[in-house]
Amino acid sequence: MPGIKMKENESFDDMYRKFKKQVDRNLVVTECRARRFFESKTEKRKKQKINAKKKMLKRLYMLRRYESRL
């Protein structure tokens, strides 16, 4: 879990920024969203869009690889 130590002359904004950076690095929010049971429609569409893009790129890669052998 992320945690920060406060220094003498450090403002709250600086500490908050450091904490947010640690949370992002440790993927806390991403993992929390992945473990949720319910997915909203927008999340489902976003995942479908990402998967479709990956699939298309994979097919394009395989096609180019096949063409280069000819």
Side-chain angles (χ1 to χ4, degrees), residues 7-64:
K7 294 181 183 173
E8 290 270 333
N9 297 325
E10 200 168 22
S11 69
F12 175 78
D13 294 330
D14 293 336
M15 291 187 313
Y16 181 65
R17 198 174 307 121
K18 284 182 182 179
F19 181 74
K20 275 181 60 174
K21 202 178 273 188
Q22 283 188 1
V23 168
D24 287 342
R25 284 187 189 144
N26 290 334
L27 302 173
V28 173
V29 177
T30 309
E31 187 176 340
C32 181
R33 284 184 184 150
R35 290 176 184 250
R36 280 194 314 195
F37 180 72
F38 176 76
E39 286 184 338
S40 64
K41 288 183 180 182
T42 55
E43 289 175 345
K44 286 181 184 178
R45 274 184 273 158
K46 198 181 257 187
K47 282 185 180 181
Q48 285 177 348
K49 199 174 189 180
I50 290 170
N51 288 339
K53 194 173 187 178
K54 282 183 185 179
K55 192 174 183 180
M56 183 188 67
L57 288 173
K58 185 176 179 182
R59 283 186 180 175
L60 185 64
Y61 170 75
M62 296 300 281
L63 181 65
R64 285 185 178 165

